[in-house]
Amino acid sequence: MLLVNVVILAAGMGKRMRSSLPKVLHPLAGKPILLHVLDTARTLSPAKICVIYGHGGEQVRQTIGNHSDLIWIEQAQQLGTGHAVKQALPHLDSNGVTLVLFGDVPLVKRNTLKVLIEKAHKDSLVLLTVELDNPAGYGRIVRDSATNRIQAIVEEKDASPSQKKIREINTGIMILPNNHLEEWLDKLSNANTQGEYYLTDIIAMAVNAGIPIEASCPESDWEVIGVNNKIQLSVLERAYQRDVANGLMEQGVMFADPARFDVRGQLVCGNDVEIDINCVFEGNVHLGNNIKIHANCVLRNVKISDGAVIHPFSLIEDAEIGRNCRIGPYARIRPGTQLDDGVHVGNFVEIKNSHIAAESKVNHLSYIGDTEMGRKVNVGAGTITCNYDGAFKHRTIIEDDVFIGSDTQLVAPVTITKGSTVGAGSTITRDTPEGQLTLSRTRQISISNWKRPRKDKG
Ligand code: UD1
Ligand code: CA
């Protein structure tokens, strides 16, 4: 089996991002662009992954983390792509090949790289190239006019007018034979327009050495777009999101508009899932069958079971939603919440760290925190669990079949016993007896001779 080493070039400073954040740490779909490259590289199970870093090095290493599968190599001065690969030489396996990736080309697909690797052997060179309508700015692939064999790569800034017309470009991603690398990289010169040691100059050296050179192209052109500024970053963000949406649509998910949908993590959907516009899915989100997510919802690390409906403008995080639940509009479900089947949570309701058993309803303007709620409970509008005494959080227990009247405060720790009813406007500080009506209210009075104050008209 071919021994594959990966070298990721990530030392450039990314001036055009105009940011104090190193370019490769800018997020794409919620994840640093370098991490996209790393995660894709990892799926190829290479023998080694070397990351060449420079600008913002400490921050880059800290963000990505020190994993045992990564070799971090500092390139103190950025003298060119050839110089960058040279830094990795001591770590490369002499009988293997090196796959060169760019830290700022985040969306190249595993499959595209797989095809590249399949074409490679330890005495050949394989280039990932594409034909572009507008090749400006890229290195051009120069082929022999008679044989069509690749002869060299010429950088745009060094290209002749006729070479500039070539539409086949170097994506920068290539596979190199390690047994020749040291010799070739030592021979590189920086006598060119940019005064850099170009990795691309080794192509002509390989031709001279009689090493076969092959080209392969990606499945989609956007896979090889690099991020140099925030406009390109936004183009790639949309390409990524569209690609995820296409994959989900192939599995049957229905989008009101796939262009207004964002995943920042993993979204897994069952059958007959409908997603309206402007929804954001973060972390791990799992949607079962027959689920409708209405417009403008944000779901972060959520599992939603079959038949549930999430109405507009709801925010749900670190929670589990049971079958046929109805949430929102304008609901906020906070971490540690578990709703069993058929629970209704309505508008302007906040639920935190609570378990609500089947068929209970909290439909209007309430705060339920640190609560264990039984089945078939009805919580009236404006009910608040007072779970915090300024120092400690306490739990509220609401047992099955409880009815809580509107505008009630339940001061924890407190238990509302099975079947009990709490009158509207009560402040409950002690456990309520089973099956009884409990209320705490001052008696209503009327003052017969009272006059409403009036401003003097004079
Ligand atoms: C490079 C290629 C060009 C290709 C283009 C594709 C060379 C000489 N040119 O040009 O043929 O069409 O990519 O986008 O290879 N880097 C380092 N250390 C360095 C220099 C660069 O780590 O000393 C990294 C950069 O951070 C970046 C990548 O290498 O991730 C490419 O460098 P860049 O300077 O952007 O190369 P281009 O001029 O775009
Ligand atoms: Ca570039």
Side-chain angles (χ1 to χ4, degrees), residues 16 23 102 104-105 137-138 226-228 232:
R16 283 172 286 166
K23 170 158 86 171
F102 285 0
D104 57 0
V105 180
Y138 289 98
V227 175
N228 293 307
Q232 284 168 330

Side-chain angles (χ1 to χ4, degrees), residues 106 108 126 187 306 326 340 388 422 441:
V108 64
V126 191
K187 274 202 281 186
D306 299 357
R326 244 176 46 200
D340 291 351
Y388 187 49
V422 175
R441 260 186 223 159

Side-chain angles (χ1 to χ4, degrees), residues 8-14 16 23-24 52-54 75 77-85 101-105 137-140 153-157 169-174 194 196-201 224-226 228:
I8 301 174
L9 307 190
M13 65 169 139
R16 283 172 286 166
K23 170 158 86 171
V24 293
I52 312 293
Y53 70 97
Q75 185 195 19
Q77 275 185 296
Q78 282 75 59
L79 303 180
T81 48
H83 179 258
V85 172
L101 300 175
F102 285 0
D104 57 0
V105 180
Y138 289 98
R140 308 296 207 283
I153 296 177
V154 181
E155 291 306 297
E156 159 117 349
K157 288 185 178 140
I169 63 102
N170 171 35
T171 65
I173 293 169
M174 53 181 81
Q194 302 187 82
E196 286 182 10
Y197 295 95
Y198 293 160
L199 181 62
T200 45
D201 282 350
V224 296
I225 298 177
N228 293 307

Side-chain angles (χ1 to χ4, degrees), residues 135-447:
Y138 289 98
R140 308 296 207 283
I141 307 292
V142 180
R143 288 176 184 266
D144 182 278
S145 56
T147 62
N148 203 36
R149 289 221 184 98
I150 293 174
Q151 293 297 300
I153 296 177
V154 181
E155 291 306 297
E156 159 117 349
K157 288 185 178 140
D158 303 290
S160 67
S162 68
Q163 287 171 329
K164 280 191 181 143
K165 289 193 185 126
I166 300 172
R167 290 175 43 232
E168 188 184 12
I169 63 102
N170 171 35
T171 65
I173 293 169
M174 53 181 81
I175 299 186
L176 308 169
N178 289 355
N179 54 357
H180 295 279
L181 262 190
E182 185 165 7
E183 181 201 334
W184 292 343
L185 292 173
D186 279 344
K187 274 202 281 186
L188 288 180
S189 123
N190 64 353
N192 51 49
T193 316
Q194 302 187 82
E196 286 182 10
Y197 295 95
Y198 293 160
L199 181 62
T200 45
D201 282 350
I202 70 173
I203 293 8
M205 295 180 195
V207 172
N208 281 337
I211 303 286
I213 303 174
E214 281 208 71
S216 176
C217 60
E219 285 176 7
S220 321
D221 287 358
W222 52 258
E223 286 180 51
V224 296
I225 298 177
V227 175
N228 293 307
N229 57 41
K230 285 176 175 157
I231 296 172
Q232 284 168 330
L233 184 59
S234 74
V235 169
L236 280 190
E237 177 77 34
R238 282 349 296 167
Y240 176 90
Q241 298 298 348
R242 185 63 203 220
D243 193 50
V244 175
N246 284 349
L248 289 166
M249 286 189 285
E250 275 165 13
Q251 291 165 34
V253 175
M254 193 154 102
F255 288 98
D257 181 359
R260 284 178 290 172
F261 153 77
D262 286 83
V263 172
R264 298 170 195 150
Q266 283 280 324
L267 171 62
V268 177
C269 294
N271 295 327
D272 297 302
V273 168
E274 267 183 62
I275 298 174
D276 208 330
I277 59 167
N278 295 339
C279 292
V280 179
F281 300 86
E282 298 185 343
N284 286 309
V285 177
H286 194 286
L287 307 181
N289 302 315
N290 289 304
I291 284 174
K292 172 124 196 187
I293 313 289
H294 286 269
N296 301 300
C297 290
V298 178
L299 274 56
R300 184 179 300 138
N301 298 318
V302 177
K303 182 169 183 284
I304 299 184
S305 299
D306 299 357
V309 179
I310 314 297
H311 289 285
F313 297 99
S314 295
L315 165 61
I316 309 179
E317 49 187 328
D318 297 293
E320 273 187 46
I321 311 295
R323 278 182 290 153
N324 303 316
C325 282
R326 244 176 46 200
I327 312 292
Y330 299 99
R332 178 172 184 206
I333 312 269
R334 291 172 53 196
T337 296
Q338 188 194 328
L339 308 183
D340 291 351
D341 297 349
V343 166
H344 292 185
V345 173
N347 41 220
F348 306 108
V349 171
E350 173 179 348
I351 303 202
K352 186 212 78 174
N353 191 30
S354 295
H355 169 224
I356 299 186
E359 292 174 66
S360 288
K361 297 184 173 74
V362 189
N363 273 331
H364 327 270
L365 299 152
S366 292
Y367 171 63
I368 303 295
D370 302 310
T371 295
E372 177 67 39
M373 192 185 298
R375 299 167 65 93
K376 300 199 172 175
V377 169
N378 196 310
V379 176
T383 297
I384 290 170
T385 54
C386 310
N387 58 331
Y388 187 49
D389 60 14
F392 302 102
K393 301 269 170 73
H394 302 282
R395 285 195 81 77
T396 298
I397 297 175
I398 304 172
E399 296 182 350
D400 295 349
D401 296 309
V402 159
F403 182 99
I404 297 176
S406 298
D407 190 28
T408 293
Q409 299 93 55
L410 306 172
V411 182
V414 71
T415 297
I416 313 301
T417 309
K418 197 166 163 229
S420 58
T421 301
V422 175
S426 296
T427 301
I428 301 297
T429 53
R430 282 171 290 139
D431 297 355
T432 63
E434 179 174 345
Q436 296 184 26
L437 169 67
T438 301
L439 68 166
S440 74
R441 260 186 223 159
T442 51
R443 263 182 201 289
Q444 180 170 325
I445 57 164
S446 301
I447 298 170

